Amino acid sequence: MTILVFGQSGQLARELARAGGVTCLGRAQADLADPESCAAAIRAHAPGAVINAAAYTAVDRAEDEEALATRINGAAPGAMAVECARLGIPFVSVSTDYVFDGSGRAPWKPGDAPVPLGAYGRSKLAGEKAIAQAGGAWAVLRTSWVVSAHGSNFLKTMLRLGTGQGGLRIVADQIGGPTPARDLADACLRVARGLQDEPGKAGIYHYAGSPDVSWADFARAIFDAAGIACRVEDIPTAKYPTPAARPLNSRLDCSMLETVFAISRPDWRKGMNEILDDLGVAT
């Protein structure tokens, strides 16, 4: 099955390209700020399935650019989904824990009511709704805290900031599941193939790394694995203000994905070590 991927330079797109058997489109081939160009690209390539791995991910900047974020994260995936439904091919798109308000301590289930805290979460929720309304063989995978050897992410930031530093102050009251992009790519591919065989499995699913951890404890694990002597001081979110509010509880209940597609949560510690190997960091 030929798979068309929207995205080329991002973490997920690069891991999908690494897996092989896909055609990745960058902004020059399909600009998500122009949703019709995305639908046109699907018609031109006539793939067996489509994975949307591109998004507006500047969480803080989205507070000032909500219209653009919503066009890229909402209207563009919606246009892709409509075209895929018209052609009768599977469509998989990635969403985020930011559609929830982060209250409580229980893992969020796919059916829980979304209440985004900010513009980024609202833009991603708009995409989820547009995809569901399009119908067809579709799946939304909500994920959290994606890391890889590519681009900018928390793991790479810790490697950069921790080296040569005696200590760092890291938020300890936000809890979630770090998700290796390589595992997320595999999950997207498996879901796309599963939908081709059984389109009735359409719906919203959760996929995030295990076990759940705080940002501070994740940083400690990174430093330990990389052999970096950097002390981590736990601080509350209130002492690290950002333009956009972050959910405190990003735990995701991923049991439905395992039940329907037999895809289990990945161990982020294994993925972390693979990323460090890719970066040439001794473990």
Side-chain angles (χ1 to χ4, degrees):
M1 176 175 65
T2 59
I3 297 179
L4 184 66
V5 173
F6 284 91
Q8 195 170 60
S9 60
Q11 297 187 79
L12 177 56
R14 292 185 67 169
E15 291 297 341
L16 285 165
R18 177 175 177 159
V22 305
T23 298
C24 294
L25 302 181
R27 185 176 299 176
Q29 293 81 37
D31 185 355
L32 270 69
D34 177 10
E36 175 51 34
S37 74
C38 299
I42 295 172
R43 290 192 295 271
H45 286 267
V50 174
I51 296 174
N52 177 32
Y56 181 111
T57 58
V59 174
D60 290 325
R61 195 165 70 239
E63 294 299 307
D64 296 320
E65 296 182 346
E66 186 164 0
L68 175 61
T70 303
R71 191 157 64 249
I72 292 172
N73 292 341
M80 296 175 200
V82 167
E83 193 60 30
C84 286
R86 187 184 71 82
L87 296 173
I89 59 175
F91 177 63
V92 178
S93 191
V94 175
S95 191
T96 174
D97 58 295
Y98 276 68
V99 300
F100 298 114
D101 64 10
S103 60
R105 296 178 58 86
W108 294 99
K109 298 181 179 180
D112 289 337
V115 183
L117 294 174
Y120 171 68
R122 289 192 293 269
S123 73
K124 296 296 283 187
L125 181 59
E128 292 185 7
K129 291 179 176 179
I131 292 166
Q133 289 171 359
W138 63 275
V140 168
L141 294 188
R142 292 180 181 142
T143 192
S144 62
W145 300 16
V146 177
V147 292
S148 71
H150 318 295
S152 300
N153 58 71
F154 183 80
L155 188 154
K156 292 182 68 179
T157 297
M158 289 301 99
L159 293 178
R160 175 173 54 83
L161 295 180
T163 302
Q165 295 292 324
L168 291 173
R169 304 169 76 230
I170 309 293
V171 169
D173 57 353
Q174 295 176 28
I175 310 296
T179 308
R182 189 169 303 167
D183 293 305
L184 179 59
D186 179 68
C188 289
L189 292 168
R190 291 173 64 182
V191 169
R193 295 177 183 124
L195 287 172
Q196 186 178 48
D197 296 332
E198 298 181 76
K201 292 181 175 180
I204 295 175
Y205 297 89
H206 289 172
Y207 182 78
S210 177
D212 293 323
V213 68
S214 70
W215 285 119
D217 283 338
F218 186 26
R220 290 187 180 94
I222 294 167
F223 294 147
D224 287 346
I228 296 174
C230 181
R231 180 178 53 83
V232 174
E233 177 187 347
D234 291 4
I235 63 169
T237 297
K239 290 193 175 182
Y240 189 74
T242 55
R246 266 62 173 173
L248 297 182
N249 176 22
S250 291
R251 301 172 181 88
L252 296 176
D253 184 332
C254 305
S255 57
M256 186 179 295
L257 188 66
E258 183 166 11
T259 298
V260 177
F261 288 98
I263 299 174
S264 302
R265 295 180 68 180
D267 186 334
W268 60 260
R269 294 163 298 193
K270 177 177 179 292
M272 174 186 66
N273 287 329
E274 291 175 349
I275 293 167
L276 293 176
D277 285 343
D278 288 345
L279 292 171
V281 178
T283 58

